Amino acid sequence: MNLSPKTLLPFLRWLPLRGETLKADFVAGLTVALVLVPQSMAYAQLAGLPAYYGLYAAFLPVMVASLWGSSNQLGTGPVAVVSLLTASSLAPFAAIGSEQFVALAIMLALLVGVVQLALGLFKLGVVVNFLSHPVIVGFTNAAAMIIGLSQVNKLIGVPMGRSEHFIQDIWGVAQKIGDTHLPTLAMGAAGIAIIWAIRRYAPKLPGVLIAVAATTTVSWAIGFAEGLGGQVVGKVPEGLPSVSLPTINGELIGTLLTSAIVISLVGFMEAISIAKAIAAKTKEKVDPNQELIGQGLANIVGSFTQAFPVSGSFSRSAVNMNAGAKTGMSAVFTGLIVLLTLLLLT
């Protein structure tokens, strides 16, 4: 086994970092962070957790995955499919958003990390090749439909129950359409309209970020929560997440291990797919086993800092590459900006 310094510390390949490289990485890291902060909070809610847990998952895991991965542009953190799988895996065992649910999500991150790290250490990155393309396409399209439908109740401002049957939950929302909260619908429609208009007429501008900034400002100005009865994220705890051992539930660890294996493979499949697509353009080499190690360490470290399972992101990786990232230092800058957000902007 080759135990050279660059094998144990793969980020050494970035050295020496020239001034122009650092500048490009900083700009890319800042650009990704501006997208990641609101996006991570949304994905935390998709996973059934309070929004601020998304910021915890967007801090250290982002940096660790880059430091020990093999791709220079892969952006790790909360992603939609893994968040959805987290919620569906844990919903039968605890109430969504409860302390027990949060503890199980953190334990699940640890299990996912251990599985991915083991696969990487034993050189089993090739296992992803056995997932057929039609299965991957079917899974991702179905996940996209479920994610979209799961947000309908938030768009019209009505509650949605959680059961073992998603169609039943959506039908319950459809029956409450007469109770639509019009200010919430107006705010959501305005956000969608802003994103569509910018993508249509000014595609180089960050449409999602502008929509979030504009609607947040309007929400604050008109007292959306107080005067109009709308829902907002609310208070975000100030400071960094606490560092502690994840709470291990001995009764559920065997049951959740199956979910952890599924999330590990799906998350890795997403990460390695975008890493390979970017590598084809940048002409850089991607090592699937090293990527597994990076993703595994990211989830393990994340579980010690109150994070739920994370993976590589298609959208943020594309933003990172298009913003001019040269090395994985861009992800380190992204994590540091999220750190400043936790310390100063809550």
Side-chain angles (χ1 to χ4, degrees):
M1 181 180 290
N2 181 13
L3 293 178
S4 66
K6 287 190 177 181
T7 300
L8 296 174
L9 305 172
F11 52 85
L12 292 178
R13 72 182 185 277
W14 305 342
L15 303 177
L17 286 169
R18 298 183 177 87
E20 60 184 25
T21 300
L22 276 174
K23 181 180 178 181
D25 285 343
F26 175 75
V27 171
L30 175 62
T31 304
V32 173
L34 292 175
V35 175
L36 176 59
V37 169
Q39 198 177 64
S40 65
M41 297 174 79
Y43 289 155
Q45 292 178 310
L46 184 62
L49 301 165
Y52 58 85
Y53 279 92
L55 295 176
Y56 298 163
F59 171 36
L60 280 179
V62 172
M63 295 191 284
V64 171
S66 182
L67 288 166
W68 274 273
S70 64
S71 173
N72 285 337
Q73 287 83 24
L74 181 66
T76 298
V79 296
V81 173
V82 170
S83 297
L84 181 68
L85 287 172
T86 297
S88 61
S89 299
L90 302 180
F93 307 111
I96 297 290
S98 65
E99 289 187 11
Q100 184 185 3
F101 188 94
V102 172
L104 290 176
I106 295 169
M107 185 182 84
L108 186 60
L110 176 63
L111 293 177
V112 169
V114 169
V115 170
Q116 290 179 325
L117 181 60
L119 289 173
L121 292 176
F122 287 102
K123 308 294 184 184
L124 294 176
V126 69
V127 72
V128 76
N129 294 332
F130 293 98
L131 293 170
S132 69
H133 184 67
V135 169
I136 294 171
V137 171
F139 177 85
T140 52
N141 285 338
M145 292 172 63
I146 291 174
I147 290 165
L149 289 172
S150 70
Q151 301 306 298
V152 170
N153 71 302
K154 294 181 175 64
L155 185 64
I156 63 176
V158 300
M160 181 173 76
R162 292 273 188 166
S163 69
E164 294 182 4
H165 305 287
F166 182 71
I167 296 299
Q168 180 179 325
D169 299 340
I170 293 300
W171 177 243
V173 172
Q175 291 177 316
K176 298 176 183 175
I177 198 166
D179 300 327
T180 296
H181 186 247
L182 294 179
T184 296
L185 178 60
M187 188 70 77
I192 293 171
I194 292 171
I195 294 171
W196 177 85
I198 291 175
R199 184 171 294 179
R200 177 76 170 80
Y201 298 107
K204 291 186 178 181
L205 296 178
V208 174
L209 179 63
I210 292 172
V212 169
T215 52
T216 300
T217 303
V218 171
S219 172
W220 168 77
I222 66 176
F224 182 66
E226 298 82 3
L228 297 177
Q231 286 189 325
V232 297
V233 170
K235 181 174 175 58
V236 175
E238 185 178 355
L240 302 179
S242 60
V243 179
S244 61
L245 287 169
T247 302
I248 305 298
N249 188 318
E251 296 179 359
L252 294 178
I253 191 169
T255 305
L256 291 182
L257 184 59
T258 303
S259 298
I261 293 172
V262 172
I263 292 173
S264 299
L265 293 177
V266 170
F268 173 62
M269 175 192 70
E270 186 171 5
I272 199 64
S273 296
I274 186 62
K276 285 184 174 180
I278 290 173
K281 294 184 177 182
T282 61
K283 308 302 180 185
E284 295 173 348
K285 183 181 178 182
V286 173
D287 181 350
N289 295 311
Q290 190 63 50
E291 210 56 64
L292 269 169
I293 291 172
Q295 295 291 312
L297 288 174
N299 277 297
I300 291 172
V301 170
S303 71
F304 282 81
T305 53
Q306 314 297 304
F308 58 96
V310 299
S311 181
S313 164
F314 281 103
S315 59
R316 293 193 303 274
S317 298
V319 168
N320 197 31
M321 182 185 71
N322 292 332
K326 302 298 183 185
T327 72
M329 194 66 193
S330 62
V332 175
F333 283 128
T334 296
L336 291 175
I337 293 166
V338 174
L339 166 66
L340 292 176
T341 301
L342 284 166
L343 291 176
L344 304 175
L345 302 179
T346 54

